[in-house]
Amino acid sequence: MAEVNDPKRKKILDKIRNFRLFDDDYMTKFFEDDLAATSLLLQVIMENPTIRATKSISQRSIKNLQGRSVRLDIQAEDEAKRLYDIEIQRAESGAGARRARYNSALMDANVADSGKYGEKLPESYVIFIAESDVFGYGLPLYHIERTIVENGLRFNDGAHIVYVNGENREDTAVGNLMHDFSCVNPDDMKYKVLAERARYLKQDQKGVTTMCKAMEELIEEDKIESAEKLIAKGKMTLEDIAECLSLSLEKVTELATRLQPHMA
C-alpha cells in the first residue's frame, strides 16, 4: 500500500494492522455478513461441522422490556433456525452468569410473537468468547445447561450458554481457533477461511477502506457518547465540549437540544 501522509489516517491504519479478533470492534466487522467465517466459528465452537450460518449481523441493537437498546456483538442464525448471540469479552467482569442470563432473555423477548409463547421460541445460544479462562478450570469449553436438581437430568428449554476459554492453545479445533483469535498477522493464522478474511480487511485496498470507514464511524460515535455525558453533567459550556471533543458546535448544540432543551 502507498505511504500515508495524513497522521490521523496513519494512526487508524496502524491500529487496523494490529487488530486481533479479541478486539471486539474488529471482530464484529470481521464476521459481519461473512457467512463462511461465521459458519466456521459456529462449527468449531458447537463441535458440529454441519452447521451453516444463514445470517450474521454485527452490533445489532435490540430493546429490553423498558425500551432501552442493547447491542449484541454478533447475532447469527443457522439453517435450522437456531439463534446465536456471540460476544467477545476481554474482561472477566463482563462475562458473568447474570450477563449471560440477560442476553438470553433479550433474545427470547425479541423473537417471541405477541400473544404466543412456549414452543414458538427457537433454540438459542449465548456464546462468550473470553480472552481469559473465566472459570479457571482449564477446560477449552464450558457448556451451561439447566438441569433438574433432584435427579441431574436436563431441563430442555432450548436455551444454551457456552463459554470459550481464550487461553486454550491445544492442538485441537477450538485451540487453533483461539490461536487465530490472538493473531495480528494473517499469515500466522491456521484456519484458511479466517486468514483470507483477515488479509482482505488488513491488506486489500477495498477491505482496508471498509475498516477505515468503520473505525471513523466508531470514533465519531464515541465522541457523541462522551458529549452526551458531559452535557448531562452540565459542568461545561457547549463551546468547551465541542472544542474538547473536536466536534462542531452545531452538532453539540443539536445534542443538547435533544437531551436538555433548556441548555441550547
Short mmCIF file of all heavy atoms in Angstrom, two decimals, residues 96-142:
data_model
loop_
_atom_site.label_atom_id
_atom_site.label_comp_id
_atom_site.label_asym_id
_atom_site.label_seq_id
_atom_site.Cartn_x
_atom_site.Cartn_y
_atom_site.Cartn_z
N GLY A 96 -20.15 -12.44 33.16
CA GLY A 96 -20.73 -13.12 34.30
C GLY A 96 -22.01 -13.87 33.99
O GLY A 96 -22.61 -13.70 32.92
N ALA A 97 -22.45 -14.68 34.94
CA ALA A 97 -23.63 -15.50 34.76
C ALA A 97 -24.89 -14.67 34.53
O ALA A 97 -25.75 -15.01 33.71
CB ALA A 97 -23.83 -16.41 35.99
N ARG A 98 -25.01 -13.54 35.23
CA ARG A 98 -26.20 -12.70 35.08
C ARG A 98 -26.24 -12.04 33.70
O ARG A 98 -27.31 -11.82 33.14
CB ARG A 98 -26.26 -11.65 36.19
CG ARG A 98 -26.32 -12.23 37.60
CD ARG A 98 -27.55 -13.09 37.83
NE ARG A 98 -27.52 -13.76 39.10
CZ ARG A 98 -28.14 -13.32 40.20
NH1 ARG A 98 -28.82 -12.20 40.17
NH2 ARG A 98 -28.08 -14.02 41.31
N ARG A 99 -25.05 -11.70 33.19
CA ARG A 99 -25.00 -11.12 31.84
C ARG A 99 -25.47 -12.15 30.81
O ARG A 99 -26.21 -11.83 29.88
CB ARG A 99 -23.57 -10.67 31.54
CG ARG A 99 -23.26 -10.38 30.06
CD ARG A 99 -23.72 -9.02 29.61
NE ARG A 99 -23.53 -8.83 28.19
CZ ARG A 99 -22.36 -8.55 27.61
NH1 ARG A 99 -21.27 -8.42 28.35
NH2 ARG A 99 -22.29 -8.37 26.31
N ALA A 100 -25.03 -13.39 30.96
CA ALA A 100 -25.45 -14.45 30.04
C ALA A 100 -26.97 -14.65 30.11
O ALA A 100 -27.65 -14.80 29.09
CB ALA A 100 -24.72 -15.75 30.37
N ARG A 101 -27.49 -14.67 31.32
CA ARG A 101 -28.94 -14.82 31.51
C ARG A 101 -29.70 -13.67 30.86
O ARG A 101 -30.73 -13.87 30.20
CB ARG A 101 -29.23 -14.88 33.01
CG ARG A 101 -30.71 -14.84 33.37
CD ARG A 101 -30.85 -14.80 34.89
NE ARG A 101 -32.19 -14.45 35.29
CZ ARG A 101 -32.55 -14.21 36.56
NH1 ARG A 101 -31.65 -14.29 37.52
NH2 ARG A 101 -33.79 -13.89 36.84
N TYR A 102 -29.18 -12.45 31.04
CA TYR A 102 -29.82 -11.26 30.50
C TYR A 102 -29.86 -11.31 28.96
O TYR A 102 -30.89 -11.06 28.34
CB TYR A 102 -29.06 -10.02 30.97
CG TYR A 102 -29.64 -8.72 30.51
CD1 TYR A 102 -30.87 -8.26 30.98
CD2 TYR A 102 -28.95 -7.89 29.61
CE1 TYR A 102 -31.40 -7.05 30.57
CE2 TYR A 102 -29.47 -6.68 29.20
CZ TYR A 102 -30.70 -6.26 29.69
OH TYR A 102 -31.22 -5.06 29.27
N ASN A 103 -28.72 -11.65 28.34
CA ASN A 103 -28.68 -11.72 26.89
C ASN A 103 -29.61 -12.79 26.35
O ASN A 103 -30.26 -12.62 25.32
CB ASN A 103 -27.25 -11.97 26.42
CG ASN A 103 -26.41 -10.72 26.43
OD1 ASN A 103 -26.62 -9.82 27.25
ND2 ASN A 103 -25.44 -10.63 25.53
N SER A 104 -29.67 -13.92 27.05
CA SER A 104 -30.57 -15.00 26.63
C SER A 104 -32.02 -14.53 26.69
O SER A 104 -32.80 -14.79 25.77
CB SER A 104 -30.36 -16.22 27.54
OG SER A 104 -31.18 -17.29 27.13
N ALA A 105 -32.38 -13.81 27.76
CA ALA A 105 -33.74 -13.31 27.90
C ALA A 105 -34.07 -12.29 26.81
O ALA A 105 -35.18 -12.27 26.27
CB ALA A 105 -33.92 -12.68 29.28
N LEU A 106 -33.09 -11.44 26.47
CA LEU A 106 -33.31 -10.45 25.41
C LEU A 106 -33.59 -11.12 24.07
O LEU A 106 -34.45 -10.68 23.31
CB LEU A 106 -32.08 -9.55 25.28
CG LEU A 106 -31.91 -8.42 26.29
CD1 LEU A 106 -30.59 -7.71 26.05
CD2 LEU A 106 -33.06 -7.44 26.22
N MET A 107 -32.84 -12.17 23.78
CA MET A 107 -33.05 -12.89 22.52
C MET A 107 -34.47 -13.45 22.46
O MET A 107 -35.16 -13.32 21.45
CB MET A 107 -32.03 -14.01 22.37
CG MET A 107 -30.61 -13.53 22.16
SD MET A 107 -29.43 -14.88 22.13
CE MET A 107 -29.83 -15.68 20.58
N ASP A 108 -34.92 -14.06 23.56
CA ASP A 108 -36.27 -14.62 23.60
C ASP A 108 -37.33 -13.54 23.43
O ASP A 108 -38.29 -13.69 22.67
CB ASP A 108 -36.50 -15.36 24.91
CG ASP A 108 -35.76 -16.68 24.99
OD1 ASP A 108 -35.28 -17.15 23.94
OD2 ASP A 108 -35.67 -17.24 26.09
N ALA A 109 -37.14 -12.42 24.14
CA ALA A 109 -38.13 -11.35 24.12
C ALA A 109 -38.26 -10.73 22.74
O ALA A 109 -39.34 -10.24 22.37
CB ALA A 109 -37.77 -10.28 25.15
N ASN A 110 -37.19 -10.76 21.95
CA ASN A 110 -37.22 -10.12 20.65
C ASN A 110 -37.60 -11.03 19.49
O ASN A 110 -37.72 -10.58 18.37
CB ASN A 110 -35.86 -9.46 20.36
CG ASN A 110 -35.72 -8.12 21.04
OD1 ASN A 110 -36.01 -7.09 20.45
ND2 ASN A 110 -35.30 -8.13 22.30
N VAL A 111 -37.80 -12.31 19.77
CA VAL A 111 -38.26 -13.21 18.71
C VAL A 111 -39.65 -13.77 18.98
O VAL A 111 -40.30 -14.30 18.09
CB VAL A 111 -37.30 -14.40 18.48
CG1 VAL A 111 -35.93 -13.91 18.07
CG2 VAL A 111 -37.20 -15.28 19.72
N ALA A 112 -40.13 -13.63 20.23
CA ALA A 112 -41.44 -14.17 20.57
C ALA A 112 -42.54 -13.36 19.91
O ALA A 112 -42.54 -12.13 19.96
CB ALA A 112 -41.63 -14.17 22.10
N ASP A 113 -43.50 -14.04 19.27
CA ASP A 113 -44.65 -13.36 18.69
C ASP A 113 -45.58 -12.91 19.80
O ASP A 113 -45.75 -13.58 20.81
CB ASP A 113 -45.43 -14.31 17.75
CG ASP A 113 -44.61 -14.67 16.52
OD1 ASP A 113 -43.76 -13.85 16.13
OD2 ASP A 113 -44.82 -15.75 15.98
N SER A 114 -46.17 -11.75 19.60
CA SER A 114 -47.09 -11.21 20.59
C SER A 114 -48.23 -12.19 20.83
O SER A 114 -48.90 -12.65 19.91
CB SER A 114 -47.66 -9.87 20.10
OG SER A 114 -48.59 -9.37 21.04
N GLY A 115 -48.43 -12.55 22.10
CA GLY A 115 -49.54 -13.43 22.46
C GLY A 115 -49.24 -14.90 22.26
O GLY A 115 -50.09 -15.75 22.52
N LYS A 116 -48.02 -15.25 21.79
CA LYS A 116 -47.67 -16.65 21.57
C LYS A 116 -46.46 -17.00 22.42
O LYS A 116 -45.50 -16.25 22.49
CB LYS A 116 -47.36 -16.90 20.09
CG LYS A 116 -48.56 -16.67 19.18
CD LYS A 116 -48.19 -16.93 17.74
CE LYS A 116 -49.36 -16.67 16.81
NZ LYS A 116 -49.01 -16.91 15.39
N TYR A 117 -46.48 -18.14 23.05
CA TYR A 117 -45.41 -18.49 23.97
C TYR A 117 -44.96 -19.94 23.74
O TYR A 117 -45.42 -20.63 22.86
CB TYR A 117 -45.89 -18.32 25.42
CG TYR A 117 -46.39 -16.93 25.71
CD1 TYR A 117 -47.75 -16.64 25.64
CD2 TYR A 117 -45.50 -15.92 26.01
CE1 TYR A 117 -48.21 -15.34 25.88
CE2 TYR A 117 -45.95 -14.62 26.25
CZ TYR A 117 -47.31 -14.34 26.19
OH TYR A 117 -47.75 -13.09 26.42
N GLY A 118 -44.06 -20.39 24.61
CA GLY A 118 -43.70 -21.81 24.66
C GLY A 118 -42.99 -22.31 23.44
O GLY A 118 -41.87 -21.92 23.12
N GLU A 119 -43.63 -23.23 22.72
CA GLU A 119 -42.98 -23.97 21.65
C GLU A 119 -42.60 -23.10 20.46
O GLU A 119 -41.87 -23.54 19.58
CB GLU A 119 -43.88 -25.12 21.20
CG GLU A 119 -44.25 -26.10 22.31
CD GLU A 119 -43.03 -26.64 23.04
OE1 GLU A 119 -42.04 -26.98 22.36
OE2 GLU A 119 -43.05 -26.70 24.28
N LYS A 120 -43.06 -21.87 20.42
CA LYS A 120 -42.72 -20.99 19.31
C LYS A 120 -41.30 -20.43 19.42
O LYS A 120 -40.74 -19.94 18.45
CB LYS A 120 -43.72 -19.82 19.24
CG LYS A 120 -45.15 -20.22 18.90
CD LYS A 120 -45.25 -20.70 17.46
CE LYS A 120 -46.68 -21.05 17.10
NZ LYS A 120 -46.79 -21.51 15.69
N LEU A 121 -40.74 -20.49 20.62
CA LEU A 121 -39.39 -19.95 20.80
C LEU A 121 -38.35 -20.86 20.13
O LEU A 121 -38.36 -22.07 20.32
CB LEU A 121 -39.05 -19.84 22.29
CG LEU A 121 -39.72 -18.71 23.06
CD1 LEU A 121 -39.41 -18.86 24.55
CD2 LEU A 121 -39.26 -17.36 22.55
N PRO A 122 -37.43 -20.28 19.34
CA PRO A 122 -36.39 -21.10 18.71
C PRO A 122 -35.31 -21.47 19.71
O PRO A 122 -35.19 -20.87 20.78
CB PRO A 122 -35.83 -20.16 17.63
CG PRO A 122 -36.04 -18.80 18.20
CD PRO A 122 -37.34 -18.86 18.96
N GLU A 123 -34.52 -22.47 19.37
CA GLU A 123 -33.38 -22.83 20.20
C GLU A 123 -32.36 -21.70 20.10
O GLU A 123 -32.12 -21.15 19.03
CB GLU A 123 -32.77 -24.14 19.70
CG GLU A 123 -31.82 -24.79 20.67
CD GLU A 123 -31.51 -26.24 20.29
OE1 GLU A 123 -31.98 -26.68 19.23
OE2 GLU A 123 -30.80 -26.89 21.06
N SER A 124 -31.75 -21.34 21.23
CA SER A 124 -30.83 -20.20 21.23
C SER A 124 -29.57 -20.51 22.01
O SER A 124 -29.58 -21.30 22.96
CB SER A 124 -31.52 -18.96 21.82
OG SER A 124 -31.78 -19.14 23.20
N TYR A 125 -28.49 -19.83 21.60
CA TYR A 125 -27.20 -20.00 22.24
C TYR A 125 -26.59 -18.63 22.50
O TYR A 125 -26.49 -17.80 21.59
CB TYR A 125 -26.24 -20.79 21.35
CG TYR A 125 -26.62 -22.23 21.16
CD1 TYR A 125 -27.57 -22.61 20.20
CD2 TYR A 125 -26.03 -23.24 21.93
CE1 TYR A 125 -27.93 -23.94 20.03
CE2 TYR A 125 -26.39 -24.57 21.76
CZ TYR A 125 -27.34 -24.91 20.81
OH TYR A 125 -27.70 -26.23 20.64
N VAL A 126 -26.18 -18.38 23.73
CA VAL A 126 -25.37 -17.22 24.06
C VAL A 126 -23.94 -17.74 24.20
O VAL A 126 -23.67 -18.62 25.03
CB VAL A 126 -25.82 -16.55 25.36
CG1 VAL A 126 -24.87 -15.41 25.73
CG2 VAL A 126 -27.24 -16.01 25.21
N ILE A 127 -23.04 -17.22 23.37
CA ILE A 127 -21.65 -17.69 23.35
C ILE A 127 -20.72 -16.55 23.75
O ILE A 127 -20.70 -15.50 23.10
CB ILE A 127 -21.26 -18.20 21.95
CG1 ILE A 127 -22.16 -19.38 21.54
CG2 ILE A 127 -19.79 -18.60 21.91
CD1 ILE A 127 -21.97 -19.83 20.10
N PHE A 128 -19.99 -16.75 24.83
CA PHE A 128 -18.98 -15.78 25.25
C PHE A 128 -17.61 -16.32 24.85
O PHE A 128 -17.19 -17.39 25.31
CB PHE A 128 -19.00 -15.58 26.77
CG PHE A 128 -20.12 -14.69 27.24
CD1 PHE A 128 -21.20 -15.23 27.92
CD2 PHE A 128 -20.09 -13.33 27.02
CE1 PHE A 128 -22.23 -14.43 28.37
CE2 PHE A 128 -21.11 -12.51 27.46
CZ PHE A 128 -22.19 -13.06 28.14
N ILE A 129 -16.91 -15.58 23.99
CA ILE A 129 -15.53 -15.90 23.67
C ILE A 129 -14.67 -14.98 24.53
O ILE A 129 -14.53 -13.79 24.25
CB ILE A 129 -15.24 -15.68 22.17
CG1 ILE A 129 -16.20 -16.54 21.33
CG2 ILE A 129 -13.78 -16.05 21.86
CD1 ILE A 129 -16.05 -16.33 19.83
N ALA A 130 -14.15 -15.53 25.62
CA ALA A 130 -13.41 -14.73 26.60
C ALA A 130 -11.91 -14.87 26.39
O ALA A 130 -11.41 -15.96 26.10
CB ALA A 130 -13.80 -15.17 28.01
N GLU A 131 -11.20 -13.78 26.54
CA GLU A 131 -9.74 -13.83 26.36
C GLU A 131 -9.07 -14.63 27.47
O GLU A 131 -8.02 -15.22 27.27
CB GLU A 131 -9.17 -12.42 26.30
CG GLU A 131 -7.70 -12.38 25.90
CD GLU A 131 -7.22 -10.99 25.58
OE1 GLU A 131 -7.88 -10.02 25.95
OE2 GLU A 131 -6.16 -10.88 24.93
N SER A 132 -9.70 -14.67 28.63
CA SER A 132 -9.15 -15.43 29.75
C SER A 132 -10.02 -16.65 30.04
O SER A 132 -11.10 -16.81 29.48
CB SER A 132 -9.08 -14.54 31.00
OG SER A 132 -10.38 -14.11 31.37
N ASP A 133 -9.55 -17.50 30.93
CA ASP A 133 -10.31 -18.67 31.38
C ASP A 133 -11.22 -18.19 32.51
O ASP A 133 -10.83 -18.14 33.67
CB ASP A 133 -9.35 -19.76 31.86
CG ASP A 133 -10.07 -21.04 32.27
OD1 ASP A 133 -11.31 -21.06 32.29
OD2 ASP A 133 -9.38 -22.02 32.60
N VAL A 134 -12.45 -17.85 32.17
CA VAL A 134 -13.38 -17.22 33.12
C VAL A 134 -13.58 -18.05 34.38
O VAL A 134 -13.62 -17.52 35.50
CB VAL A 134 -14.74 -16.94 32.44
CG1 VAL A 134 -15.76 -16.44 33.46
CG2 VAL A 134 -14.57 -15.92 31.32
N PHE A 135 -13.69 -19.37 34.22
CA PHE A 135 -13.98 -20.23 35.36
C PHE A 135 -12.73 -20.80 36.03
O PHE A 135 -12.78 -21.29 37.16
CB PHE A 135 -14.92 -21.37 34.94
CG PHE A 135 -16.25 -20.88 34.45
CD1 PHE A 135 -16.54 -20.83 33.10
CD2 PHE A 135 -17.22 -20.47 35.34
CE1 PHE A 135 -17.77 -20.38 32.64
CE2 PHE A 135 -18.45 -20.01 34.90
CZ PHE A 135 -18.73 -19.96 33.54
N GLY A 136 -11.62 -20.77 35.31
CA GLY A 136 -10.36 -21.18 35.90
C GLY A 136 -10.16 -22.68 36.04
O GLY A 136 -9.27 -23.12 36.78
N TYR A 137 -10.92 -23.49 35.31
CA TYR A 137 -10.78 -24.94 35.41
C TYR A 137 -9.93 -25.55 34.29
O TYR A 137 -9.75 -26.76 34.23
CB TYR A 137 -12.16 -25.62 35.42
CG TYR A 137 -13.03 -25.22 36.59
CD1 TYR A 137 -14.29 -24.69 36.39
CD2 TYR A 137 -12.58 -25.37 37.90
CE1 TYR A 137 -15.11 -24.33 37.46
CE2 TYR A 137 -13.38 -25.01 38.98
CZ TYR A 137 -14.63 -24.49 38.75
OH TYR A 137 -15.42 -24.12 39.82
N GLY A 138 -9.44 -24.70 33.40
CA GLY A 138 -8.56 -25.19 32.34
C GLY A 138 -9.27 -25.93 31.22
O GLY A 138 -8.60 -26.57 30.40
N LEU A 139 -10.58 -25.84 31.14
CA LEU A 139 -11.32 -26.51 30.07
C LEU A 139 -11.40 -25.62 28.84
O LEU A 139 -11.48 -24.40 28.96
CB LEU A 139 -12.73 -26.86 30.55
CG LEU A 139 -12.83 -27.80 31.76
CD1 LEU A 139 -14.28 -27.93 32.21
CD2 LEU A 139 -12.25 -29.17 31.42
N PRO A 140 -11.40 -26.21 27.63
CA PRO A 140 -11.47 -25.38 26.42
C PRO A 140 -12.85 -24.75 26.25
O PRO A 140 -12.97 -23.63 25.76
CB PRO A 140 -11.16 -26.37 25.30
CG PRO A 140 -11.46 -27.72 25.86
CD PRO A 140 -11.17 -27.64 27.32
N LEU A 141 -13.89 -25.49 26.63
CA LEU A 141 -15.28 -25.02 26.51
C LEU A 141 -16.03 -25.30 27.80
O LEU A 141 -15.77 -26.29 28.48
CB LEU A 141 -16.01 -25.73 25.36
CG LEU A 141 -15.48 -25.51 23.94
CD1 LEU A 141 -16.15 -26.50 22.98
CD2 LEU A 141 -15.74 -24.07 23.48
N TYR A 142 -16.96 -24.42 28.11
CA TYR A 142 -17.84 -24.62 29.26
C TYR A 142 -19.28 -24.51 28.77
O TYR A 142 -19.71 -23.45 28.29
CB TYR A 142 -17.59 -23.58 30.34
CG TYR A 142 -16.20 -23.59 30.92
CD1 TYR A 142 -15.19 -22.80 30.39
CD2 TYR A 142 -15.90 -24.39 32.02
CE1 TYR A 142 -13.91 -22.82 30.92
CE2 TYR A 142 -14.61 -24.41 32.57
CZ TYR A 142 -13.63 -23.63 32.01
OH TYR A 142 -12.36 -23.64 32.55
#
